Amino acid sequence: MITPSHTHRNFIPNTRGLKALQEPDLQKMAPYTITYFAVRGRCGALRIMLSDLGQEWKEIVVNFDEWMKGDLKKTCVFGQLPKLQDGDLVLFQSNTFLRHVGRKHGAYGKNDTEAALIDMFNDGVEDLRIKYLKMIYQEYDTGKDAYIKDLPNHLSKFEAVLEKSSSGFLVGGSISFADYSLFEVLLNHQVLSPTCLDSFPALNGFVQKMSSRPKIKAFLDSDAYKKLPINGNGKQ
Ligand code: 6SG
Protein backbone atom coordinates (compact mmCIF):
# COMPACT_ATOMS: atom_id res chain seq x y z
CA MET A 1 0.00 0.00 0.00
CA ILE A 2 1.09 3.51 -0.67
CA THR A 3 -0.13 5.32 2.39
CA PRO A 4 -2.09 8.54 1.89
CA SER A 5 0.23 11.44 1.64
CA HIS A 6 0.28 14.23 4.14
CA THR A 7 1.62 17.70 3.79
CA HIS A 8 4.18 19.34 5.96
CA ARG A 9 2.74 22.73 6.59
CA ASN A 10 6.06 23.80 7.91
CA PHE A 11 4.67 24.43 11.33
CA ILE A 12 3.31 27.84 10.45
CA PRO A 13 0.14 28.24 12.49
CA ASN A 14 -2.84 28.09 10.19
CA THR A 15 -4.35 31.52 10.55
CA ARG A 16 -6.39 31.25 7.37
CA GLY A 17 -8.89 28.85 8.76
CA LEU A 18 -9.86 25.43 7.51
CA LYS A 19 -10.23 26.56 3.95
CA ALA A 20 -6.46 26.69 3.71
CA LEU A 21 -6.34 22.94 4.07
CA GLN A 22 -8.55 22.20 1.09
CA GLU A 23 -6.97 20.48 -1.87
CA PRO A 24 -6.62 23.30 -4.46
CA ASP A 25 -4.88 25.51 -1.93
CA LEU A 26 -2.75 22.63 -0.82
CA GLN A 27 -1.48 22.21 -4.37
CA LYS A 28 -0.41 25.82 -4.48
CA MET A 29 1.19 25.68 -1.07
CA ALA A 30 3.06 22.44 -1.54
CA PRO A 31 4.80 22.42 -4.91
CA TYR A 32 7.19 19.71 -3.75
CA THR A 33 6.30 16.05 -3.33
CA ILE A 34 8.73 13.54 -1.88
CA THR A 35 8.11 9.86 -2.62
CA TYR A 36 10.19 7.62 -0.39
CA PHE A 37 10.23 4.82 2.16
CA ALA A 38 9.40 5.63 5.78
CA VAL A 39 12.96 6.58 6.68
CA ARG A 40 15.05 9.73 7.04
CA GLY A 41 17.68 8.08 4.86
CA ARG A 42 18.46 9.99 1.72
CA CYS A 43 15.79 12.62 2.34
CA GLY A 44 16.94 13.72 5.79
CA ALA A 45 18.93 16.71 4.57
CA LEU A 46 16.27 17.70 2.01
CA ARG A 47 13.50 17.79 4.60
CA ILE A 48 15.64 19.90 6.95
CA MET A 49 16.47 22.21 4.06
CA LEU A 50 12.86 22.63 2.92
CA SER A 51 11.83 23.36 6.50
CA ASP A 52 14.52 25.97 6.97
CA LEU A 53 13.69 27.64 3.66
CA GLY A 54 10.04 27.89 4.64
CA GLN A 55 8.92 25.53 1.87
CA GLU A 56 6.05 23.14 2.22
CA TRP A 57 6.03 19.65 0.80
CA LYS A 58 3.92 16.55 0.51
CA GLU A 59 5.09 13.07 1.40
CA ILE A 60 4.09 9.88 -0.38
CA VAL A 61 5.26 7.03 1.81
CA VAL A 62 5.98 3.75 0.03
CA ASN A 63 6.07 0.54 2.00
CA PHE A 64 8.23 -2.46 1.28
CA ASP A 65 5.44 -4.74 -0.05
CA GLU A 66 4.27 -2.13 -2.49
CA TRP A 67 7.82 -1.47 -3.62
CA MET A 68 8.48 -5.19 -4.13
CA LYS A 69 5.58 -5.42 -6.59
CA GLY A 70 7.84 -3.43 -8.90
CA ASP A 71 5.29 -1.15 -10.58
CA LEU A 72 6.68 2.02 -9.03
CA LYS A 73 10.29 0.85 -9.42
CA LYS A 74 9.72 0.50 -13.19
CA THR A 75 8.83 4.17 -13.40
CA CYS A 76 11.93 5.35 -11.52
CA VAL A 77 14.77 6.47 -13.80
CA PHE A 78 17.38 4.47 -11.86
CA GLY A 79 14.92 1.97 -10.39
CA GLN A 80 15.24 3.56 -6.97
CA LEU A 81 13.73 6.04 -4.59
CA PRO A 82 13.63 8.79 -3.41
CA LYS A 83 11.75 10.77 -6.03
CA LEU A 84 11.11 14.50 -5.89
CA GLN A 85 8.39 16.20 -7.87
CA ASP A 86 8.35 19.95 -8.34
CA GLY A 87 5.25 20.63 -10.40
CA ASP A 88 5.81 18.82 -13.69
CA LEU A 89 9.47 18.22 -13.02
CA VAL A 90 10.26 14.71 -11.78
CA LEU A 91 13.69 14.15 -10.28
CA PHE A 92 15.66 11.25 -8.85
CA GLN A 93 19.00 11.31 -6.97
CA SER A 94 18.97 12.90 -3.54
CA ASN A 95 21.89 15.26 -4.18
CA THR A 96 20.14 16.51 -7.30
CA PHE A 97 17.20 17.46 -5.07
CA LEU A 98 19.49 19.48 -2.81
CA ARG A 99 20.98 21.29 -5.79
CA HIS A 100 17.60 21.97 -7.36
CA VAL A 101 16.10 23.38 -4.18
CA GLY A 102 19.31 25.28 -3.45
CA ARG A 103 19.28 26.84 -6.91
CA LYS A 104 15.66 27.90 -6.59
CA HIS A 105 15.80 29.32 -3.10
CA GLY A 106 19.18 31.03 -2.84
CA ALA A 107 21.13 28.27 -1.12
CA TYR A 108 23.71 27.64 -3.87
CA GLY A 109 26.20 30.49 -3.32
CA LYS A 110 26.29 33.99 -4.73
CA ASN A 111 28.43 33.26 -7.81
CA ASP A 112 30.01 30.41 -9.81
CA THR A 113 33.02 30.26 -7.54
CA GLU A 114 30.91 29.74 -4.46
CA ALA A 115 28.71 27.24 -6.32
CA ALA A 116 31.79 25.20 -7.29
CA LEU A 117 33.01 25.14 -3.70
CA ILE A 118 29.55 24.18 -2.45
CA ASP A 119 29.53 21.29 -4.95
CA MET A 120 32.94 20.22 -3.71
CA PHE A 121 31.92 20.16 -0.06
CA ASN A 122 28.66 18.41 -0.84
CA ASP A 123 30.60 15.73 -2.71
CA GLY A 124 32.84 15.40 0.34
CA VAL A 125 29.77 14.90 2.52
CA GLU A 126 28.47 12.36 -0.01
CA ASP A 127 31.71 10.35 0.31
CA LEU A 128 31.20 10.18 4.08
CA ARG A 129 27.52 9.36 3.65
CA ILE A 130 28.35 6.43 1.35
CA LYS A 131 30.89 5.05 3.86
CA TYR A 132 28.31 5.42 6.62
CA LEU A 133 25.57 3.68 4.60
CA LYS A 134 27.91 0.84 3.64
CA MET A 135 28.68 0.26 7.31
CA ILE A 136 25.01 0.50 8.33
CA TYR A 137 23.61 -1.77 5.61
CA GLN A 138 26.48 -4.19 4.99
CA GLU A 139 28.73 -4.48 8.00
CA TYR A 140 27.11 -2.99 11.07
CA ASP A 141 27.97 -5.87 13.41
CA THR A 142 31.49 -6.43 12.19
CA GLY A 143 32.46 -2.93 11.07
CA LYS A 144 30.87 -0.42 13.44
CA ASP A 145 33.77 -0.17 15.90
CA ALA A 146 36.39 0.25 13.20
CA TYR A 147 34.18 2.83 11.50
CA ILE A 148 33.90 4.90 14.68
CA LYS A 149 37.62 4.62 15.27
CA ASP A 150 38.36 5.94 11.78
CA LEU A 151 35.72 8.67 11.94
CA PRO A 152 38.02 11.47 13.24
CA ASN A 153 40.04 11.16 10.04
CA HIS A 154 36.95 12.24 8.12
CA LEU A 155 35.51 14.72 10.61
CA SER A 156 38.83 16.56 10.95
CA LYS A 157 38.61 17.62 7.29
CA PHE A 158 35.29 19.37 7.83
CA GLU A 159 36.54 20.75 11.16
CA ALA A 160 39.43 22.44 9.35
CA VAL A 161 37.05 24.05 6.86
CA LEU A 162 34.64 25.37 9.46
CA GLU A 163 37.47 26.57 11.72
CA LYS A 164 38.45 28.99 8.97
CA SER A 165 34.91 30.13 8.18
CA SER A 166 33.93 33.52 9.52
CA SER A 167 30.24 32.99 8.74
CA GLY A 168 30.10 29.54 10.32
CA PHE A 169 28.93 28.09 6.99
CA LEU A 170 30.96 25.91 4.65
CA VAL A 171 31.10 28.47 1.84
CA GLY A 172 30.73 32.25 1.81
CA GLY A 173 28.48 34.28 4.01
CA SER A 174 25.26 32.33 3.85
CA ILE A 175 23.78 28.89 4.19
CA SER A 176 23.89 26.43 1.29
CA PHE A 177 22.61 22.94 0.58
CA ALA A 178 26.01 21.54 1.53
CA ASP A 179 25.51 22.89 5.07
CA TYR A 180 22.20 21.05 5.40
CA SER A 181 23.79 17.88 4.11
CA LEU A 182 26.78 18.10 6.45
CA PHE A 183 24.50 18.95 9.37
CA GLU A 184 22.29 15.93 8.77
CA VAL A 185 25.23 13.56 8.40
CA LEU A 186 26.66 14.90 11.67
CA LEU A 187 23.34 14.37 13.48
CA ASN A 188 23.32 10.75 12.31
CA HIS A 189 26.90 10.27 13.45
CA GLN A 190 26.06 11.66 16.88
CA VAL A 191 23.44 8.92 17.16
CA LEU A 192 26.02 6.33 16.10
CA SER A 193 28.66 7.70 18.46
CA PRO A 194 27.38 10.39 20.88
CA THR A 195 30.87 11.70 21.70
CA CYS A 196 32.17 11.83 18.13
CA LEU A 197 32.18 15.64 17.94
CA ASP A 198 33.68 16.24 21.38
CA SER A 199 37.14 16.93 20.04
CA PHE A 200 35.85 19.06 17.16
CA PRO A 201 34.76 22.46 18.51
CA ALA A 202 33.95 23.95 15.12
CA LEU A 203 31.74 20.99 14.13
CA ASN A 204 30.10 21.05 17.52
CA GLY A 205 29.40 24.78 17.17
CA PHE A 206 28.08 24.20 13.65
CA VAL A 207 25.63 21.54 14.85
CA GLN A 208 24.49 23.81 17.72
CA LYS A 209 24.01 26.74 15.38
CA MET A 210 22.13 24.74 12.75
CA SER A 211 19.95 23.03 15.37
CA SER A 212 18.92 26.34 16.87
CA ARG A 213 17.70 27.92 13.64
CA PRO A 214 14.02 28.28 14.53
CA LYS A 215 12.55 26.42 11.56
CA ILE A 216 15.08 23.61 11.84
CA LYS A 217 14.45 23.35 15.56
CA ALA A 218 10.68 23.14 14.96
CA PHE A 219 11.18 20.43 12.36
CA LEU A 220 13.60 18.39 14.49
CA ASP A 221 11.12 18.62 17.38
CA SER A 222 8.22 17.42 15.20
CA ASP A 223 6.81 13.89 15.08
CA ALA A 224 7.24 14.00 11.30
CA TYR A 225 10.99 13.91 11.94
CA LYS A 226 11.21 11.97 15.18
CA LYS A 227 8.99 9.07 14.20
CA LEU A 228 11.07 8.17 11.14
CA PRO A 229 14.00 5.80 11.64
CA ILE A 230 17.32 7.02 10.29
CA ASN A 231 17.87 3.91 8.17
CA GLY A 232 15.73 1.23 6.53
CA ASN A 233 17.20 -1.73 8.43
CA GLY A 234 16.67 -0.35 11.93
CA LYS A 235 20.41 0.13 12.53
CA GLN A 236 21.70 3.52 13.60
C1 6SG B 1 17.61 2.91 -0.88
O1 6SG B 1 19.97 3.84 -2.75
O2 6SG B 1 15.81 3.81 2.34
N1 6SG B 1 17.68 4.20 -2.88
C2 6SG B 1 17.28 3.10 -2.19
N2 6SG B 1 16.23 0.94 -2.51
C3 6SG B 1 15.28 0.04 -3.09
O3 6SG B 1 15.04 -1.42 -4.91
N3 6SG B 1 22.03 7.65 -5.37
C4 6SG B 1 20.64 7.49 -4.98
C5 6SG B 1 20.17 8.77 -4.29
O4 6SG B 1 21.01 9.47 -3.72
C6 6SG B 1 20.51 6.31 -4.04
C7 6SG B 1 19.12 5.83 -3.92
C8 6SG B 1 18.96 4.79 -2.83
O5 6SG B 1 18.98 9.10 -4.35
S1 6SG B 1 17.91 4.31 0.16
C9 6SG B 1 16.31 2.22 -2.89
O6 6SG B 1 15.62 2.68 -3.78
C10 6SG B 1 15.80 -0.61 -4.34
O7 6SG B 1 16.95 -0.36 -4.76
C11 6SG B 1 18.07 3.58 1.74
C12 6SG B 1 16.73 3.06 2.20
N4 6SG B 1 16.66 1.80 2.42
C13 6SG B 1 15.39 1.17 2.90
C14 6SG B 1 14.82 0.35 1.82
C15 6SG B 1 13.45 0.23 1.49
C16 6SG B 1 13.29 -0.82 0.48
C17 6SG B 1 14.58 -1.30 0.20
C18 6SG B 1 15.52 -0.55 1.01
C19 6SG B 1 13.01 -1.49 4.02
C20 6SG B 1 14.38 -1.80 4.21
C21 6SG B 1 14.66 -2.94 3.49
C22 6SG B 1 13.56 -3.30 2.89
C23 6SG B 1 12.54 -2.43 3.24
FE1 6SG B 1 14.01 -1.44 2.17
Side-chain angles (χ1 to χ4, degrees):
M1 264 282 293
I2 296 178
T3 58
S5 56
H6 55 280
T7 296
H8 290 258
R9 305 208 61 255
N10 212 36
F11 316 104
I12 300 160
N14 175 13
T15 54
R16 286 160 294 186
L18 277 175
K19 200 177 173 297
L21 286 167
Q22 286 166 12
E23 218 28 59
D25 294 303
L26 211 63
Q27 287 304 318
K28 259 185 280 163
M29 287 187 300
Y32 297 109
T33 301
I34 293 171
T35 303
Y36 196 33
F37 310 110
V39 293
R40 294 180 202 162
R42 282 198 164 274
C43 285
L46 175 68
R47 293 178 179 122
I48 290 169
M49 181 177 186
L50 289 170
S51 300
D52 195 48
L53 295 173
Q55 297 301 307
E56 285 159 10
W57 73 95
K58 226 168 91 174
E59 295 269 358
I60 296 175
V61 183
V62 179
N63 75 28
F64 184 60
D65 293 343
E66 181 69 25
W67 180 251
M68 287 313 281
K69 288 182 192 157
D71 296 341
L72 175 60
K73 188 178 177 76
K74 263 191 297 201
T75 71
C76 300
V77 172
F78 301 104
Q80 290 196 309
L81 295 176
K83 165 181 174 179
L84 179 71
Q85 286 163 276
D86 175 9
D88 292 336
L89 177 64
V90 180
L91 294 173
F92 295 91
Q93 295 293 352
S94 56
N95 287 292
T96 295
F97 308 163
L98 298 179
R99 290 191 164 85
H100 177 65
V101 172
R103 210 176 275 122
K104 281 183 57 169
H105 302 288
Y108 208 150
K110 66 173 174 0
N111 54 38
D112 287 353
T113 302
E114 285 194 1
L117 292 169
I118 290 165
D119 280 342
M120 178 182 81
F121 289 121
N122 196 68
D123 286 349
V125 175
E126 173 66 10
D127 284 352
L128 180 57
R129 195 181 285 283
I130 287 171
K131 281 195 177 76
Y132 168 82
L133 291 172
K134 183 165 181 271
M135 182 276 294
I136 289 285
Y137 283 100
Q138 294 170 27
E139 51 202 35
Y140 188 83
D141 295 329
T142 52
K144 180 184 162 181
D145 293 346
Y147 181 90
I148 291 173
K149 200 162 167 233
D150 183 46
L151 193 51
N153 294 327
H154 301 288
L155 296 180
S156 59
K157 311 300 191 295
F158 294 103
E159 175 76 10
V161 175
L162 286 175
E163 237 169 27
K164 289 188 217 102
S165 161
S166 50
S167 65
F169 299 118
L170 284 167
V171 179
S174 57
I175 200 160
S176 74
F177 67 86
D179 292 302
Y180 298 111
S181 196
L182 176 61
F183 172 57
E184 198 258 347
V185 148
L186 293 176
L187 288 180
N188 296 344
H189 280 83
Q190 282 187 308
V191 173
L192 178 75
S193 166
T195 58
C196 71
L197 301 187
D198 287 2
S199 46
F200 298 111
L203 290 180
N204 227 324
F206 175 75
V207 167
Q208 296 309 317
K209 180 174 140 154
M210 293 291 286
S211 305
S212 61
R213 288 169 74 90
K215 290 175 188 150
I216 292 185
K217 188 177 177 336
F219 179 64
L220 297 181
D221 286 343
S222 72
D223 282 346
Y225 174 79
K226 287 192 290 191
K227 73 176 187 207
L228 288 183
I230 299 176
N231 301 300
N233 62 352
K235 306 274 163 71
Q236 61 179 34

